[in-house]
Structures are given as structure tokens and as C-alpha cells.
Amino acid sequence: MPTLYPIQDTFVRGEISPRLHARASLDLYRAALSRCENFVTLPHGGIRKRGGSYFCAEVKDSSKKTRGIPFIFSADQAYILEFGDLYIRVHAYGARVGSVEVVTPYLEADLFDLQFVQSADQMWITHKNYLPQVLTRTAHTTWTLAEFVFLDGPYDDINTSATTLTPAESGAVHPQMTSDTLPTGTAAATAGTAFHVFDRDNGTNLTFGATTGDVSYDFAGATTKVCDAYWIRARASGNPRAAVAWDFQGFDGIDWISLDSRTAETGWSRGEVRFYGFQNETAYQSYRLNISGSEDDSNLDIAEMGWHENGDSQTSFDLTASSIVGINDGTGFQTSDVGRTIRLLGSDAVWRWARITSRSSATVVKVRLYGHALPNLRPIARWRLGTFVPGKYVESGSLYEERLAFSRKFSVYASATGDFDNFATGEEDDAALEFVQAGGGQANDISWIAESDGALIIGTLGGIRALSGSGIDEALTPSSFKNRRSRTFGCAPLRPVDAGQSFLFVTRSRKSIAELTQSAAGKFTSEDVGQVSEHIPKKGVVELAFQTDPDPVLWFPLDNGELGGYTHQPSQEVRGMHRHRIAGSFSGSAWGTVESAVVTPGQDGNDDLWLIVKRTIGGATRRTIEIKSVPFEYGEIADAFEVDCGLTYDGVATATVTGLDHLEGETVDALADGVVYHDLTVAAGAVSLPGGATAAKWQVGLPYEAGADTLELDVGGRDGSIVGRRKKVSKVILSLFETDTTGLEITSMQRGRWEPVRIPSVVTPDSSANLFTGNVEVPIDDSWEGQGRVRIHHTNPTPCTIRAFTPVFDAEV
């Protein structure tokens, strides 16, 4: 048989599963490798040695697992949050941000169950065992974390038991008055009996005897309170003679300050109650309603009023249950209910809400009342407890159509439009809404929710559904929604990533990665993008991070500590997986363990890939935060950074560099003014070049090699396939781009003797490496017992890009 020269000029399918190593009939076979380690498959077709990783910092406590989470305000203001046991530290562009450290409630075991959603300078962090937290950046070095407060919702079902809740106070700034001066403070009016509007008796009225006037309440002594809402009840009999225009005011000791003005409040019916709210955070010593007009030509009446005290400044008061039935499955109030909300239906058939501030017993809690004051202190039969309790807090979040949405178990809760704190459900289009996720005969737990064009995507253990408005381009509202099921894989509770025209997510087993694409409005399909490389994600995917620039690559740490990569450009049929072993070692593995991966926009236009890597250094566990260097392209060899956990020195020529304490006792490589040095030892945080050599630019760090193994090629058979027939490779022709060939070697998979790639001109007179672009032939010592496969590796801390590979071989026919 004649000698064959089959070229492989594309590697876009990356490292494929061993189950496909004999599937030479597949189109993807000619674009694949049996091993692609520390090489990245490029959209252009070749493979390039990955960049090294810069050392940024050691985590606060290296003995405990640590996770990175991105905080991206904009393309030029991006951070990585170092989440550790009970703390957050902040890093940006390769350095820690000052001494910022925020205390958190999250333990080490919680970190990888956290989910998050961000808008501008705020990030909401969720976990089923904790109340949602909101992290706020107010300045580059000023960060705060606080419990997220749900205003008025969401709630469990309305109580149907006989249990009633009796409030000790009404939540008003004024008490129930029995005279103008009792029990405390002073009620006054321009005419009539002032206290009648504060006596909680709808049958008594304040009659002014004129069409204008005012009524006020003044606190005793130096007391001041914050009022933020009020209601007015018209007289119950005859002509309502209600006010139609007024100014609600607060007295600061000098002047009456207008807080709320109303005009044209006409059309009152007998006994009608109207509610008014306003923004106020100032405490005043007196309040008054200054009325400038009445519906009656000769008189003005008011039956009752309630001036609400701001809930945040209100003194908590008792709320007493008649029994424990209906409360927490019959166990009554628990200490874990502190912070929980309760919705209360007053005797005026209007819902208010309160927040529990403390627990006295199984039937008594203290609360603060929000919204409006109660009309009286009668027992309340219709009430709803807030739906969130320990172990059942929200688990994931997203933004969608100017709503903040959270999910828990089967349900999605979305805030009012443009009001992220307000979860009070209603019938208005912009009101908050609650959606119970069930359908298709299954009720699967929600793993995550994410915003997409035209729909809120709901990833569940059983598949993906899409929640949207009921019509094309119609907004999602409480009365207009549709829930569509898509034929997709079940989802693991790992945050998906937006990959441009599709989403990438981890399937329920955490052992495969799927791509979600929109097939029609509100309809989605998914496919297992890693099926041809199933052995890589089968090691267990930890999390996902998608890098857009310089190349579209999905990065995913694996349970065995490797870093998975997936070059994803489906429009060009580029879908290739590759594996990366970060230099170092830990607990018997010959590589550093990547625990977390995060992508943020970088300062140079490329995305930064941040890694948290665990290694054994000096006999101790060390966890470090590192940034993968940008790929080397069109530069000087001395600028190449191809070491891990490394640092750069650029200054006056020196024989020794310091600052390597994080690698104390380790053997490192150096690229110093373009000259490669192997097997240098870090001692006292420093490393020196041998022979008194000096260099002005150093790249120093842990060494790693990149390797690629080819598949058995199936070409040239006269009577069918030659897979399985004996082959012998005589040489290999490589097409290289900007490659230091002094670190490049090739061997037969059968014989195993490494053959260096020799180009006479690649070493300059000063011994520095040079970069070669072009074709080179390498003779191979092979055996007829082989399959025509070869192995390539590159060992220097220098660049290597392989554009194409041509084995020259003979085969039996």
C-alpha cells in the first residue's frame, strides 16, 4: 500500500469519549482527539496551549473550602467575591480590594448551594436555610450585607381554623382616646369634640359646624413619632358631609410641614373609609389634618381616623393567638418565626401586614404593623403567615421584566414591577404575583430560574418550563400568564450561564452539560452538548462560568479537581471539550484541585477567568485565588506567561526575585528574558537563576505540560476500513503557529520514545527561545504493532499552537 498523508487540520471536537474511538465513520471523528489536556480547542480549528495562572491572593482560611461569585456592575467595574466560612472578601483585577471583609451567616458547607441575582450595586443571595441576604456596594471599598426584607408577602394560605389573633395595639401614632387628653397626649380641633375621631367608635363624629377646620394630635412631653399613612372614615348616617380637600401636616416645633395634600376627594358614601400613604422618615411632635373644603355647603363631619406610625420605628406590641391550632402545623409560634410576616384582615375588611420581632410563647409574639393602623383591637379571624421559614426559604432568584423573582420548591414569587421589596399580590398588572409550578403530570422542585428573551425560564428536576405573558410580546401579569413545558433534560441546582444565543446548564445528575435553545416563542429544546465527550463531565460538574473573549469557552470545575473546558461556537460548528490540570498537587492527585471558577470582564477587553485552587505546599493545604492569563498572541516571547500560580517581575536586571512565599519549597520554572529555566527551588520566598545569570523580565511559577493524543485514522483502505489493521508512522508533519519548538516533543503511542522537534534557527545566540511559525517534519520511531496514533506534548513555560497535524504512515491492506 502507498504511503498515506492524511491531514488533520481541525480539532474543534476536542477530546472525545473512549466509546467513540472506533467510530471513524462519524463526521466529527476527523476533528477530534483521544486526549486534549491543557490545550484549548480554537474556533479556527487548531489547539493552543492554555495560558498560565497569576497568583492574586491566598484565601482567608486555607483549611476550608472557598467559593468565588462574580459581582459585575458594568464592563469596567467588576469584582469577584471570595465567599468563605462566615465571611466575604472582595477582589478586583488581580488584587484584593482594600481590607474589605463582610460578615455572613453562611457556613463552609453552605457555599456551593448559594444562588444569587444582581442588579447594579445590589446582589440578592439565596439559600433554603437562610433568609435572603442583600449585598450592597456603596463605594469601591464600602460593602454591606443585610437581610432582605419582603414587604407584605408572600404568604401561606388564609387561616381556616378557629384560631384568632388579638393585637394589643392598633399601630397608630395615637392611642384610643377617651377624652381630649386621656389616656395620653392631646387631641384638638377648631370646633367640636376632637377625641371622637380617635375613640374607635364609628357612631361618634367630630362635627366642625363649618366647611373648613383642622384636627390635631400632640404627643405628651417630648415624644415624637414618624407617621407615614392615614385613613379617614365618613359618618355612617345621613349626609356624609366629608372632607374633599386637605393638607396632612407634621409640626417640628417651629412650623407645620406639609406631608400629604389631597384635592377633589369627592363622592363619599356613608361610612366609607379611604386610605392614604406618603413617604416620611421624620419624627414630629404633633400631626394635624388641615381641611380646606367639604362636600356639604354648610358643615363638615369626620367619624373616625387612624394615623399610622411607621413600622420600622414603631414600638413592638403583643399579638396573642387564641390557640396553637393552625400555626406551624399545630406547634404554635416558634423562635424561628422572628422576622416572619403576618397578614391581618381588620374589621374594616382591609388587609394589613405585620412583622414578628420576638416570641414570648407558643401563642404570643410581638409585632410591628405596616401599611395602615387597625380600626380597633378586636380578635382577627382571617390571617396568613408569611410563607418563608427555616429550611424553606427561597432557593434561587432572577430578574424578569423589572420584577425581582424568587423560587422555592414548586413556586415562583415575583415582586411588583419596579418595586423589588414589594411582594404583596394583587390584581393590578404591576402587582406582585405568585405562580405554583406544576404540570405535565409532575410536580418537580425548581432548581433555578433565569431571564431569557420573552420568558422566565424555570429549570426543574424534571425539565424546563417557560413562564411568560399570555400573548406574543405581552407582559407577565397576575391575570395574563402562560406556563409552557419544553422537552428538555432535568436540571441540577447549579446556576446556568448565558452563552449568547443559548443557555448552558448542568443536568440533574451533574454529569452532563446541556444547551438550551429557543425553538419558538416560549418553547425551548435542549441537547447534551457533551455527549461525544461524556467522560469529562461524568466526573461531576461543580459550577459553570462562561468566557466570551478572547474565545467562547465554558469552564467548569470537576469533582476530581480538574478544570473542564468547552469551546462553544455552534454557528461555526465548533463544539470541543478539553481538560486542564492546574499545576501542583493535592492528596495524591498530580494536579492542583480547582474548587471554583468565575468569569468577569477584564481591564484589557478580555474576560478574566478566576480560579480558586487547592494544593499541598510545604506539607500544608493552601488555597489560592488565581487569574488565568490571556492567550499569548503576536507578542514577544519574554511576555509569555505559561506557568501556574505564578508572578511576573519587570524591572532592573537581577539574578534573584522575591515575593514567592506562597510557593515556598516548591520546584518552579522561570522564563527570564525569554530564556527557559527548569527545576528552580523557592527558598525563603525567593528564587535565583543558575550561573549568576540575570534578567529584567521574569515569569515564575509552577510548571505544567500540555498534551494531545491523536485517534487512529481511517483513510486509504482499498477494501473498506483500515481501523484495527496494523499501521506504522514514519514521521509527522506539524503546522505550527508562534510555537517554542524546544519544548515540543512527539512519540509513537506504541514505542513511547520522545522525539524532539528540531528547528535549527529557533534558539538565538543568547540562548533565549524563539517562536516558529510554519511546517516541520519530525521522524517517528514506530512499530507495525501500533495503530498509527501519536502523542504530542509541550513542556516549556512558553507558547505552543498546533494548526494542523499530518501523520505519514503505511498500513496493511
Side-chain angles (χ1 to χ4, degrees):
M1 183 177 184
T3 300
L4 301 174
Y5 293 77
I7 186 171
Q8 183 173 357
D9 57 3
T10 179
F11 305 92
V12 295
R13 299 314 299 253
E15 179 178 317
I16 65 172
S17 168
R19 295 178 177 179
L20 297 176
H21 286 190
R23 296 289 304 276
S25 60
L26 296 176
D27 290 339
L28 62 85
Y29 190 88
R30 291 286 298 274
L33 295 163
S34 68
R35 183 174 71 106
C36 187
E37 184 178 302
N38 288 333
F39 274 116
V40 176
T41 61
L42 301 177
H44 317 84
I47 54 174
R48 176 175 56 208
K49 185 181 179 183
R50 69 165 172 85
S53 62
Y54 285 99
F55 169 78
C56 300
E58 186 172 357
V59 303
K60 178 183 178 181
D61 185 351
S62 275
S63 69
K64 295 183 178 180
K65 185 173 289 189
T66 310
R67 181 185 179 187
I69 287 180
F71 189 101
I72 304 172
F73 177 81
S74 65
D76 56 1
Q77 295 184 55
Y79 303 84
I80 175 179
L81 307 176
E82 174 196 330
F83 273 71
D85 187 53
L86 302 176
Y87 78 91
I88 300 171
R89 285 182 170 182
V90 182
H91 304 261
Y93 308 113
R96 186 179 171 196
V97 175
S99 59
V100 175
E101 185 170 319
V102 181
V103 175
T104 80
Y106 306 119
L107 301 172
E108 177 187 11
D110 303 322
L111 300 180
F112 284 85
D113 293 323
L114 299 177
Q115 296 205 40
F116 53 91
V117 56
Q118 183 188 346
S119 175
D121 272 321
Q122 288 188 307
M123 173 181 283
W124 294 267
I125 305 165
T126 58
H127 187 288
K128 68 179 181 180
N129 293 331
Y130 300 89
L131 280 166
Q133 304 284 313
V134 58
L135 179 69
T136 303
R137 181 193 74 151
T138 53
H140 182 61
T141 57
T142 306
W143 300 69
T144 56
L145 185 73
E147 287 185 355
F148 176 65
V149 178
F150 289 89
L151 300 184
D152 196 11
Y155 297 99
D156 289 341
D157 293 337
I158 296 174
N159 169 58
T160 57
S161 74
T163 300
T164 60
L165 303 178
T166 302
E169 299 290 345
S170 68
V173 294
H174 51 81
Q176 178 178 352
M177 300 295 287
T178 56
S179 73
D180 283 350
T181 58
L182 293 175
T184 183
T186 301
T190 52
T193 306
F195 83 91
H196 281 169
V197 297
F198 303 123
D199 63 2
R200 298 178 188 158
D201 183 350
N202 297 337
T204 60
N205 305 315
L206 168 60
T207 300
F208 286 86
T211 59
T212 62
D214 63 61
V215 57
S216 65
Y217 178 81
D218 181 74
F219 302 112
T223 300
T224 60
K225 295 186 178 182
V226 179
C227 181
D228 63 359
Y230 60 99
W231 52 261
I232 302 174
R233 180 183 292 273
R235 61 182 287 169
S237 61
N239 184 346
R241 302 194 299 199
V244 297
W246 64 81
D247 199 30
F248 189 84
Q249 302 169 333
F251 186 63
D252 63 3
I254 299 175
D255 297 310
W256 286 100
I257 309 300
S258 177
L259 302 176
D260 185 60
S261 294
R262 304 286 168 165
T263 60
E265 288 288 324
T266 60
W268 289 80
S269 57
R270 297 173 185 174
E272 180 182 355
V273 182
R274 296 187 183 181
F275 297 83
Y276 307 94
F278 52 89
Q279 184 67 33
N280 176 42
E281 296 180 359
T282 302
Y284 294 96
Q285 68 182 51
S286 305
Y287 291 95
R288 77 177 181 185
L289 190 72
N290 187 13
I291 303 168
S292 57
S294 166
E295 279 195 309
D296 189 89
D297 291 338
S298 60
N299 214 334
L300 168 67
D301 281 355
I302 298 176
E304 197 70 24
M305 288 195 294
W307 297 352
H308 178 258
E309 182 179 0
N310 181 283
D312 290 336
S313 60
Q314 197 177 103
T315 300
S316 300
F317 56 87
D318 284 346
L319 186 68
T320 303
S322 60
S323 78
I324 62 175
V325 177
I327 303 174
N328 290 325
D329 298 323
T331 62
F333 291 117
Q334 305 296 311
T335 55
S336 56
D337 288 326
V338 174
R340 195 174 184 182
T341 54
I342 304 180
R343 211 168 197 219
L344 306 167
L345 186 67
S347 61
D348 54 3
V350 173
W351 286 97
R352 280 88 167 167
W353 71 280
R355 187 177 303 281
I356 298 173
T357 60
S358 64
R359 173 188 180 271
S360 303
S361 70
T363 56
V364 180
V365 291
K366 287 189 179 295
V367 300
R368 292 193 179 104
L369 187 74
Y370 291 82
H372 281 281
L374 288 162
N376 50 55
L377 305 183
R378 297 173 190 168
I380 295 170
R382 292 177 65 79
W383 47 268
R384 306 176 70 182
L385 279 170
T387 195
F388 300 135
V389 293
K392 296 182 180 179
Y393 294 122
V394 293
E395 298 179 44
S396 65
S398 179
L399 294 171
Y400 180 66
E401 293 184 343
E402 298 304 314
R403 298 177 186 269
L404 177 60
F406 293 112
S407 73
R408 186 196 70 172
K409 200 65 177 175
F410 311 134
S411 300
V412 174
Y413 310 94
S415 73
T417 303
D419 188 356
F420 292 169
D421 297 336
N422 186 359
F423 284 76
T425 55
E427 300 300 324
E428 300 296 326
D429 285 352
D430 61 352
L433 57 91
E434 179 180 344
F435 174 77
V436 179
Q437 165 60 41
Q442 300 180 4
N444 292 299
D445 286 7
I446 296 173
S447 299
W448 48 260
I449 56 177
E451 182 179 23
S452 180
D453 293 338
L456 180 68
I457 303 173
I458 303 173
T460 78
L461 293 176
I464 288 174
R465 305 186 74 92
L467 181 64
S468 65
S470 58
I472 298 175
D473 294 329
E474 188 173 336
L476 176 65
T477 71
S479 60
S480 173
F481 64 87
K482 61 184 174 185
N483 166 36
R484 288 188 174 183
R485 173 177 173 267
S486 298
R487 298 189 179 277
T488 56
F489 299 100
C491 307
L494 302 179
R495 181 181 173 89
V497 295
D498 186 344
Q501 297 181 343
S502 62
F503 278 86
L504 298 172
F505 67 95
V506 181
T507 63
R508 183 173 58 186
S509 67
R510 286 202 309 115
K511 296 182 183 300
S512 62
I513 298 171
E515 179 182 15
L516 182 72
T517 55
Q518 190 163 2
S519 56
K523 294 286 288 183
F524 296 85
T525 59
S526 65
E527 63 173 313
D528 184 352
V529 297
Q531 189 172 28
V532 299
S533 304
E534 46 81 30
H535 63 299
I536 296 178
K538 268 190 176 178
K539 295 166 184 173
V541 178
V542 175
E543 62 184 353
L544 302 179
F546 190 76
Q547 185 176 30
T548 302
D549 293 315
D551 297 306
V553 180
L554 175 74
W555 299 100
F556 49 100
L558 297 165
D559 283 341
N560 72 340
E562 289 182 315
L563 177 65
Y566 169 60
T567 306
H568 178 74
Q569 196 170 59
S571 61
Q572 302 297 319
E573 296 299 321
V574 177
R575 299 171 181 270
M577 282 198 177
H578 28 95
R579 294 178 300 106
H580 301 270
R581 293 182 170 180
I582 305 301
S585 63
F586 180 79
S587 187
S589 68
W591 55 88
T593 296
V594 178
E595 290 189 323
S596 187
V598 172
V599 169
T600 63
Q603 290 180 303
D604 59 359
N606 293 301
D607 291 335
D608 285 339
L609 173 63
W610 298 74
L611 304 174
I612 296 180
V613 186
K614 177 175 62 174
R615 300 180 179 88
T616 300
I617 296 177
T621 298
R622 304 283 288 270
R623 285 178 165 93
T624 54
I625 300 173
E626 302 164 32
I627 297 181
K628 191 177 101 43
S629 65
V630 297
F632 179 85
E633 291 182 321
Y634 312 111
E636 298 296 326
I637 183 65
D639 296 325
F641 194 93
E642 309 280 342
V643 291
D644 283 341
C645 200
L647 290 173
T648 294
Y649 168 82
D650 193 356
V652 177
T654 180
T656 301
V657 292
T658 59
L660 297 168
D661 303 79
H662 64 288
L663 294 177
E664 183 66 28
E666 294 296 301
T667 299
V668 298
D669 277 5
L671 182 66
D673 284 347
V675 179
V676 174
Y677 296 91
H678 294 292
D679 301 326
L680 306 178
T681 301
V682 179
V687 68
S688 300
L689 297 180
T694 62
K697 187 157 195 176
W698 297 53
Q699 321 285 5
V700 187
L702 297 173
Y704 63 92
E705 72 172 44
D709 296 349
T710 66
L711 292 162
E712 180 181 4
L713 294 178
D714 183 28
V715 293
R718 296 175 182 174
D719 54 355
S721 172
I722 63 170
V723 170
R725 302 188 189 187
R726 296 189 304 163
K727 306 174 186 70
K728 181 179 180 181
V729 179
S730 60
K731 62 181 176 181
V732 171
I733 302 173
L734 295 176
S735 177
L736 305 175
F737 177 73
E738 291 190 331
T739 295
D740 167 27
T741 60
T742 63
L744 186 61
E745 295 180 321
I746 301 176
T747 185
S748 160
M749 296 285 283
Q750 185 68 24
R751 287 287 179 87
R753 189 176 75 188
W754 290 103
E755 303 288 350
V757 177
R758 293 186 175 89
I759 302 294
S761 61
V762 297
V763 178
T764 61
D766 62 359
S767 298
S768 64
N770 201 354
L771 299 179
F772 175 79
T773 297
N775 297 333
V776 59
E777 293 186 3
V778 184
I780 295 289
D781 178 19
D782 198 8
S783 165
W784 273 102
E785 301 304 317
Q787 297 178 329
R789 298 173 59 200
V790 300
R791 173 169 289 169
I792 305 168
H793 74 185
H794 190 270
T795 58
N796 279 354
T798 49
C800 175
T801 299
I802 301 173
R803 298 183 297 196
F805 161 84
T806 304
V808 180
F809 72 94
D810 296 301
E812 65 179 2
V813 296

